[in-house]
Structure formats: structure tokens, C-alpha cells
Amino acid sequence: MAEDTSDKQIATRLATAGRRRQWTSAPGLPGGTVNPPVWRASTHLYDNCADLKAEVGNNAEGRFYYGRRGAPTQWALAEALTSLEDGAFGAMLYPSGVAAITGSYLAVMRPGQRLLITDNAYDPSRNIGTGLMKNFGVVPEFFDPMDIDGFRALCAQEGKIGAVLLEAPGSLTFEVCDVPALAAIAREAGAFVLCDNTWAGPTGFQPLAHGCDGSINALTKHVGGHSDLMMGAVTANERLYRRLRRTAQQLGQVVSPDDAALALRGLRTLRVRLKQESESALAIAQFLSTREEVAAVLCPMLEGAPGHDMWNRDFTGGCGLFSFVLKGRDADARARLIDALQLFGIGYSWGGFESLALPVDPGTCRSVRSWPPSHGEGGAWDGLDESDRFAIRLSIGLEDAGDLIADLKQGLAAMGAI
Ligand SMILES: *Cc1c(COP(=O)(O)O)cnc(C)c1O
């Protein structure tokens, strides 16, 4: 079993990463297991006092010490995630995606510094900025990710920028910004560049190779993939990773070995699941774009969608998550549609093997651009009208795409004509 697979294609890395012989075998026994076992441990034992003394001061990776620093199950997951991103030095694990975002902010931000957050960030990423971080003396600011000149001007304003948070595509409206351009401007301004990469994951987009310092991933979504796991990770270059690790250790952030084993299991099939979900999602997005009840389909994989060009240029894959906006309907009509669906669950999260539908109102978590866009505003949401405000987010799973389309057809019928 090759232990360093960094020169291999990502499909090969997904199958082999994190399976070091020393983590899959037992001393004195020939052979070993395919997967690292679940090491449940708080106490790690030493052979004698001299060993204990030597290890206490040794905070290196992959050393037995105490449960808070993990054991081979967590180390294997972190190593696997590291090997999936070109330019990564290490990966820090967190008990949820939100904990990964908070852990990143806390690792790099200092009182008085500016924290620039993309206007289409995942809602909690905004709220941690305007809540916890602001309480610690950080100055949160928001920017339109599709306006490069505006971002450059914001960066040129007075005040040290501690970090910039990007997300591509953004939550709920799914515009894909020009990550390399924004990252270059942010770095020039001396900021750490963080990118929430949960939508594409490492098989679809590589933030570090596009100028970012850290790639945030809610493993809860695609990597878990089965709607039964909460976890997050930040894959980072050396400068960021050292800060993340120090901060996570001080916060006592740790993930359970059982959950790490589930995440490792999910990781092995990540690429094939996302490939299938992307293919189905595109077919469904194309179907929805032909319907008169639909004002816009916000899916970066769809020709003509906001940021489709950037997605084509920078991404190697997509996923099953996108939104569509109802034309001139109200919230009751939207609820009639969603409630009529038979194959879509109604609930938060996404990225599982099963399809979900969720009513979403982007206007509740935007401060730079209003939603719905006002007349003539143009930009990413060109063509949308003031009355086109009610959106539905779909997470497409592994069901047959034809069955899902038939279900959406009967949902649209249940919603009724205007
Ligand atoms: C869900 C999500 C998160 C947070 O993940 P949790 O594990 O639910 O805390 C972060 N970013 C994005 C884009 C998400 O969709």
C-alpha cells in the first residue's frame, strides 16, 4: 500500500488515502485491515515514566498523547483530506462545519481587524462575524463577490484586514465568483483567504491551488453523504494550519473516532456519488428552466446561470445542490409545491444520498445586494422581477432523475396556475 499518493489522480487518492500500514495493522500480527479501526480512547498509556516525560512536550502530529489529540482513526481522516487538496500542508477536524468556520475566524482574527465576508456566504458564517467575532472587537464587513472592482476598493480602505471569507458558489443563490482574482487582491492586502468549499468539495474545486490559504468543508454534507454525521474540516497551507491547530487545541475541539470512521467511509465513494448527483441535477435544472412557473434556475452547472463561466473555468465537478425561483408566486403556492412532493424530504442540510426540498429566502441573509433584485439592477440576477422572490433549494440525491422530474411535475401541478 503506497502511503504517499499525492502524485496520483484524485479518484486513486480517494481510494487509498489515509490507509497507512501502521494504522491498519497490529504489532506482531501479519497482514492488516483495509480500513483503520475505530480507536476509542481518552487515555493513551506509556511504557514508563521516561516515555511519558518525552511525549508530553512533543506536540507533533500522529503521536499518542491523550484523546484530545486524536488517535489513528482521526489522523487517517486528516491525512486523507490533506492528500486530496493540492498545496495542502494539513487538515484540522472540527465537530461541525460551523465549528470549522468559527475555528478559522478565531485562529486568524485579532481585535480591531476587519473581517470581509462574501455577501452570499452561508448564513451562520455571516452571523458568527456579526456576533461572536464582533464581540471580540473584530469589524465584520460584507462585499458583493461578483464585483471585483468594488472588492478592490473595499480592500484599499483603511484598517488591517485579518481575513476574507469566500464561498463559491454562494449559499442559496449559487453565483460562482472569480476566486483567483478575489484571493489575489485579498492576499495583496495581507489577509488570510478562507474559502468555504462545501458545495464542490475537493473533487470539484481546489481553493488552495486557486490562491486561498484554507479550504473549509462541512463534511456533514457530501463527505458523510448519508445524512447521519456532523463534522467539519479546514484543509490549509502551512501558515494557516499552524494557527488552526494551536487554536483548535486551546478550544478543545475534537471529533469522535466513530464519526471519523464514518467520514472516511463516505470519502471513498465521494466522487462517484457527486458525479451521479451532478448529472441528475443538471437534467432537473434543465427541465425546470423550461417551465413557465419558474423565473430562474440558480445552478452553476447550467449554461447561462450566474457564474457558469467561472464554474467552467475553475471547477472540475459539481454536485446536486441548486435553487430555482418561482415566477410571481407567493409563499403559500411554494408550500403547496413542496408539500406535494413525494420523493423529496423537507429538511435542513444536504449532500445525502436522498433528495431534499427546502423553501429559501435569500433576502433574509443579504446586506450588500437586495433580494429580489430591484428592476434594472442587472448583474448576477438579471431578469428577475420584484415579484420573483420565493425560491426552493433542491438537494438532488441518488434516486432516478426521471422519477424526480415526474415528482416535480406533479408538484408544479399541485401548486396550480396563477
Ligand atoms: C451546512 C453548511 C455549513 C455548516 O456545516 P454544519 O456541519 O451543518 O455545521 C457550512 N458551510 C456551508 C456552505 C454549508 O452548507
Side-chain angles (χ1 to χ4, degrees):
M1 187 82 249
E3 293 185 353
D4 179 8
T5 56
S6 56
D7 64 327
K8 301 289 190 295
Q9 295 297 318
I10 204 145
T12 308
R13 291 188 232 169
L14 281 167
T16 54
R19 292 170 50 203
R20 280 196 206 198
R21 186 71 180 217
Q22 76 214 66
W23 296 337
T24 55
S25 59
L29 286 179
T33 56
V34 172
N35 297 295
V38 175
W39 290 73
R40 291 171 182 271
S42 52
T43 295
H44 296 175
L45 295 174
Y46 298 94
D47 286 343
N48 52 54
C49 293
D51 281 1
L52 175 103
K53 190 168 172 218
E55 287 300 313
V56 164
N58 182 359
N59 192 8
E61 306 278 346
R63 306 291 299 190
F64 284 111
Y65 169 66
Y66 174 55
R68 223 183 305 110
R69 283 193 203 155
T73 325
Q74 294 96 328
W75 303 339
L77 175 60
E79 179 170 287
L81 292 168
T82 305
S83 76
L84 293 177
E85 290 217 31
D86 296 329
F89 178 81
M92 207 63 225
L93 304 176
Y94 298 86
S96 70
V98 161
I101 294 160
T102 309
S104 303
Y105 286 170
L106 288 172
V108 298
M109 296 305 303
R110 300 291 177 263
Q113 293 183 349
R114 301 160 69 200
L115 170 61
L116 307 191
I117 301 173
T118 181
D119 200 36
N120 57 2
Y122 178 61
D123 200 16
S125 302
R126 299 175 60 99
N127 296 338
I128 302 158
T130 54
L132 182 72
M133 296 312 297
K134 196 164 174 218
N135 291 342
F136 287 162
V138 164
V139 183
E141 294 169 45
F142 296 91
F143 63 92
D144 178 353
M146 308 305 273
D147 177 5
I148 303 271
D149 291 337
F151 180 71
R152 190 180 290 110
L154 185 67
C155 285
Q157 286 176 15
E158 209 171 312
K160 161 100 182 128
I161 304 168
V164 173
L165 177 75
L166 305 174
E167 188 176 324
S171 279
L172 307 188
T173 44
F174 301 98
E175 312 87 342
V176 183
C177 61
D178 189 338
V179 174
L182 295 170
I185 295 166
R187 278 199 156 184
E188 183 76 28
F192 278 96
V193 188
L194 310 167
C195 181
D196 188 327
N197 195 39
T198 302
W199 187 87
T203 61
F205 184 58
Q206 299 261 320
L208 303 188
H210 288 85
C212 302
D213 296 290
S215 169
I216 299 171
N217 200 333
L219 307 181
T220 306
K221 312 291 168 53
H222 296 312
V223 171
H226 296 72
S227 304
D228 53 7
L229 172 74
M230 298 293 299
M231 202 184 290
V234 185
T235 309
N237 58 21
E238 184 169 0
R239 139 184 125 112
L240 177 60
Y241 179 75
R242 294 205 184 282
R243 290 217 192 184
L244 293 173
R245 189 161 184 263
R246 202 178 314 134
T247 305
Q249 287 187 345
Q250 290 184 7
L251 289 169
Q253 297 281 34
V254 62
V255 305
S256 86
D258 304 71
D259 288 345
L262 274 181
L264 272 170
R265 169 180 285 221
L267 204 57
R268 307 302 179 197
T269 57
L270 178 69
R271 189 169 156 277
V272 285
R273 282 186 284 110
L274 291 197
K275 240 174 131 175
Q276 182 57 54
E277 288 167 14
S278 301
E279 190 184 309
S280 297
L282 185 57
I284 292 164
Q286 279 161 348
F287 157 74
L288 288 168
S289 65
T290 66
R291 297 290 300 213
E292 59 89 16
E293 301 95 330
V294 174
V297 180
L298 306 173
C299 172
M301 303 182 293
L302 190 67
E303 188 107 26
H308 176 70
D309 292 349
M310 290 297 144
W311 181 77
N312 251 348
R313 189 190 72 183
D314 293 340
F315 285 56
T316 51
C319 76
L321 192 77
F322 69 95
S323 296
F324 64 99
V325 187
L326 294 173
K327 190 160 195 56
R329 310 298 164 111
D330 60 14
D332 289 343
R334 176 173 66 181
R336 280 200 299 282
L337 194 170
I338 294 174
D339 291 351
L341 297 173
Q342 301 292 308
L343 295 177
F344 292 79
I346 304 170
Y348 289 105
S349 203
W350 48 275
F353 61 87
E354 84 297 358
S355 291
L356 297 173
L358 191 73
V360 293
D361 298 302
T364 61
C365 49
R366 295 287 187 276
S367 51
V368 179
R369 298 199 51 202
S370 57
W371 175 274
S374 43
H375 259 312
E377 195 183 3
W381 301 328
D382 209 7
L384 284 182
D385 198 277
E386 247 119 299
S387 63
D388 307 328
R389 64 167 61 233
F390 294 99
I392 297 176
R393 191 186 73 182
L394 298 180
S395 175
I396 302 302
L398 297 173
E399 304 89 344
D400 180 79
D403 287 341
L404 294 174
I405 288 173
D407 197 26
L408 285 162
K409 265 187 197 160
Q410 66 84 21
L412 287 162
M415 178 175 74
I418 298 181

